[in-house]
């Protein structure tokens, strides 16, 4: 095994590990979608619905058009292979990972590793929190809006109702889990012992170090090659113990230390990673896609400084509100600010920018992917607005 990788080799190993470069034309069913989530280990959830909610996009980027209700079935139907918890951020994960996060749930109980508001509310309002849990235990799964306890809120963490704060605290602590989602993405909470399969709930809780080692294994497999910081970020692992866990995996032969040309920090290679000679195709990426969610790694691997600008005032945005990078082969060659106008059935490209290494073929390849996305979203047309250095060429390619 090589102990030094070129930047291109590392990039292609990472893309292959993430599931890029495969066929995106075939039919996608439950088996393929479940296999992909197992491969990635985690999919980030986000409520922003400008184009499509982010958790639907990673499978589209890797597998092509698939029924979005299929993911909903895997995540929130009564019999399902996925569950929700705080992993990278709010996330969907394979049920097999639930025991691996019980140490984080225990930490949350103690107010460690959670939002300050969660820790404070658990500490100061424990009696109220327990009453909310007892209400759900008695009445069955409920949304926060259905719990008629405590003061009502006005939005945001400190504006949430007290019932909403309580259920979120209990969710962090593992005392509640998501029974389903309803309506406009409202979470319905239930007791894990009644919601999760018996085999999962009765799985013995692994030792903290054992659980964390397994999470590092999953992260290494999903990334192919990564620095220690990359590995830690994948499941937002604590700094304490990280060096020891990684060193233990190296000693066991489950991680191979390597150098990557151009990377300042040492890297670790999954010994079973696939060495792809070439990555074909093009994909639009959610801002919260596993491949690019750690911006430092994105810049190191692709030479692209990417930031989401949702919270940046409009006049100060460089590329737009909800910008999706375009993966062309093994390079990020462009970025587009997209919006789904569902009423008019139009996918709007609000701006389009090219990276310096984009080629003459980039506009037509990007146009092809935009048409594929519009069809998947059930939108009839694409409109390219005249903003960004790629807008003119892209507009012609779309037309």
């Amino acid at each position: 095994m090589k102990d030094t990788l070129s930047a291109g080799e590392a990039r292609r190993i990472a893309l292959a590990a993430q599931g890029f470069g495969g066929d995106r034309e075939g039919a996608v069913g439950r088996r393929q979608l479940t296999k992909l989530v197992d491969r990635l280990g985690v999919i980030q959830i986000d409520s922003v619905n400008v184009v499509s909610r982010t958790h639907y996009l990673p499978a589209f980027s890797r597998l092509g058009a698939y029924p979005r209700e299929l993911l909903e079935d895997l995540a929130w139907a009564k019999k399902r292979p996925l569950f929700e918890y705080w992993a990278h951020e709010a996330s969907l994960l394979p049920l097999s990972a639930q025991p691996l996060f019980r140490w984080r749930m225990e930490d949350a109980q103690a107010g460690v590793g959670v939002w300050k508001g969660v820790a404070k509310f658990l500490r100061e309002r424990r009696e109220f929190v327990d009453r909310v849990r007892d209400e759900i235990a008695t009445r069955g799964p409920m949304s926060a809006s259905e719990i008629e306890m405590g003061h009502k809120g006005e939005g945001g963490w400190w504006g949430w109702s007290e019932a909403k704060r309580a259920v979120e605290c209990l969710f962090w602590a593992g005392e509640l889990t998501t029974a389903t989602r309803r309506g406009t993405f409202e979470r319905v909470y239930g007791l894990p012992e009644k919601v999760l399969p018996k085999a999962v709930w009765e799985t013995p809780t692994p030792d903290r170090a054992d659980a964390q080692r397994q999470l590092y294994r999953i992260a290494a497999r999903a990334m192919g090659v990564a620095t220690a910081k990359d590995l830690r970020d994948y499941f937002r692992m604590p700094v304490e113990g990280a060096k020891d866990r990684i060193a233990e995996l190296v000693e066991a032969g489950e991680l191979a230390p390597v150098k990557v040309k151009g990377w300042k920090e040492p890297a670790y290679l999954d010994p079973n990673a696939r060495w792809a000679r070439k990555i074909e195709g093009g994909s639009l990426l959610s801002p919260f896609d596993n491949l690019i969610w750690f911006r430092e790694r994105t810049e190191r691997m692709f030479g692209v400084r990417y930031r989401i600008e949702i919270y940046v005032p409009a006049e100060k945005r460089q590329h737009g509100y909800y910008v999706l990078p375009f993966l062309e082969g093994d390079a990020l060659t462009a970025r587009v600010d997209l919006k789904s106008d569902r009423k008019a059935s139009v996918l709007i490209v609000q701006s389009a920018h090219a990276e310096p290494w984009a080629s003459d073929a980039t506009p037509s390849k990007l146009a092809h992917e935009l048409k594929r996305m519009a069809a998947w979203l059930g939108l009839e047309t694409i409109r390219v607005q005249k903003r960004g250095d790629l807008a003119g060429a892209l507009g012609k390619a779309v037309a």
Side-chain angles (χ1 to χ4, degrees):
M1 184 181 295
K2 294 172 65 174
D3 59 5
T4 301
L5 308 178
S6 70
E9 286 174 327
R11 191 164 55 248
R12 289 187 290 276
I13 288 170
L15 286 166
Q18 280 281 301
F20 289 99
D23 175 31
R24 296 179 68 214
E25 300 296 336
V28 179
R30 185 182 179 94
R31 182 181 64 83
Q32 291 93 337
L33 193 54
T34 303
K35 187 177 179 181
L36 177 65
V37 180
D38 285 340
R39 178 180 200 158
L40 297 176
V42 55
I43 291 179
Q44 185 172 334
I45 301 172
D46 192 84
S47 61
V48 176
N49 199 21
V50 177
V51 181
S52 170
R53 289 195 173 98
T54 188
H55 41 282
Y56 297 104
L57 289 169
F60 171 75
S61 300
R62 291 157 176 80
L63 302 176
Y66 73 96
R68 280 173 289 167
E69 59 269 20
L70 182 58
L71 180 63
E72 295 165 7
D73 185 60
L74 295 181
W76 299 299
K78 189 169 184 180
K79 292 185 178 180
R80 58 188 190 263
L82 307 180
F83 80 108
E84 285 187 44
Y85 190 59
W86 289 96
H88 182 77
E89 291 287 334
S91 304
L92 288 170
L93 305 110
L95 278 169
S96 58
Q98 197 274 347
L100 303 179
F101 284 95
R102 291 178 188 167
W103 60 271
R104 180 167 288 170
M105 296 170 187
E106 292 171 3
D107 283 354
Q109 286 276 15
V112 177
V114 296
W115 300 340
K116 289 181 180 179
V118 172
K120 183 179 181 184
F121 201 78
L122 274 170
R123 183 175 64 251
E124 296 181 354
R125 301 296 306 278
R126 187 70 232 194
E127 184 180 347
F128 177 77
V129 170
D130 288 342
R131 282 173 51 212
V132 169
R133 186 189 183 281
D134 290 344
E135 181 78 355
I136 293 174
T138 300
R139 295 177 56 188
M142 302 172 69
S143 65
S145 62
E146 293 174 311
I147 300 171
E148 297 179 354
M149 291 183 183
H151 299 295
K152 302 299 179 184
E154 299 175 356
W157 170 255
W158 293 115
W160 277 352
S161 69
E162 288 188 317
K164 176 62 174 175
R165 295 189 200 182
V167 290
E168 285 298 313
C169 288
L170 290 163
F171 182 83
W172 268 101
E175 294 187 57
L176 292 179
T177 191
T178 306
T180 189
R181 293 264 188 172
R182 71 160 72 111
T184 56
F185 207 54
E186 184 179 31
R187 183 186 279 152
V188 178
Y189 302 84
L191 299 183
E193 59 266 36
K194 294 184 179 180
V195 171
L196 300 176
K198 186 177 180 181
V200 172
W201 183 244
E202 293 184 351
T203 297
T205 299
D207 173 80
R208 177 181 294 247
D210 289 341
Q212 292 184 354
R213 267 191 299 274
Q214 181 59 16
L215 290 172
Y216 277 116
R217 288 187 190 100
I218 295 169
R221 182 193 66 204
M223 286 189 283
V225 59
T227 66
K229 195 180 291 186
D230 296 339
L231 290 169
R232 214 172 62 235
D233 177 78
Y234 204 76
F235 288 114
R236 298 290 167 88
M237 302 296 281
V239 174
E240 184 180 355
K243 288 184 179 179
D244 291 339
R245 301 295 83 79
I246 292 172
E248 289 156 4
L249 292 174
V250 170
E251 186 176 355
E254 297 179 80
L255 284 180
V258 292
K259 294 180 181 179
V260 178
K261 293 177 182 178
W263 292 20
K264 295 180 180 179
E265 298 176 11
Y268 301 90
L269 176 69
D270 171 17
N272 298 313
R274 182 168 73 86
W275 291 60
R277 292 185 178 182
K278 192 174 184 180
I279 299 293
E280 302 281 1
S283 298
L284 285 162
L285 305 175
S286 158
F288 307 108
D289 190 286
N290 305 46
L291 182 68
I292 59 169
W293 62 23
F294 188 29
R295 309 309 188 201
E296 179 184 311
R297 176 175 168 86
T298 302
E299 190 165 354
R300 185 190 330 123
M301 285 184 55
F302 297 101
V304 171
R305 187 180 187 276
Y306 173 68
R307 299 291 186 274
I308 190 165
E309 300 180 273
I310 288 176
Y311 303 109
V312 176
E315 66 277 8
K316 294 184 178 180
R317 291 178 194 139
Q318 289 184 306
H319 298 102
Y321 180 80
Y322 199 76
V323 175
L324 282 71
F326 179 54
L327 176 68
E328 182 183 343
D330 67 351
L332 296 180
T333 61
R335 55 183 99 189
V336 285
D337 180 21
L338 298 184
K339 180 179 179 180
S340 294
D341 184 339
R342 298 173 182 89
K343 188 174 181 179
S345 196
V346 179
L347 179 62
I348 304 172
V349 182
Q350 300 186 115
S351 70
H353 295 83
E355 303 300 340
W357 44 84
S359 71
D360 292 342
T362 296
S364 61
K365 291 181 178 179
L366 177 53
H368 176 75
E369 182 61 13
L370 286 167
K371 290 175 182 179
R372 187 202 301 259
M373 174 174 277
W376 175 61
L377 294 173
L379 304 175
E380 295 176 359
T381 58
I382 299 170
R383 184 169 74 241
V384 181
Q385 296 181 342
K386 296 178 180 179
R387 287 187 57 217
D389 57 11
L390 190 61
L394 180 61
K396 291 176 181 178
V398 167

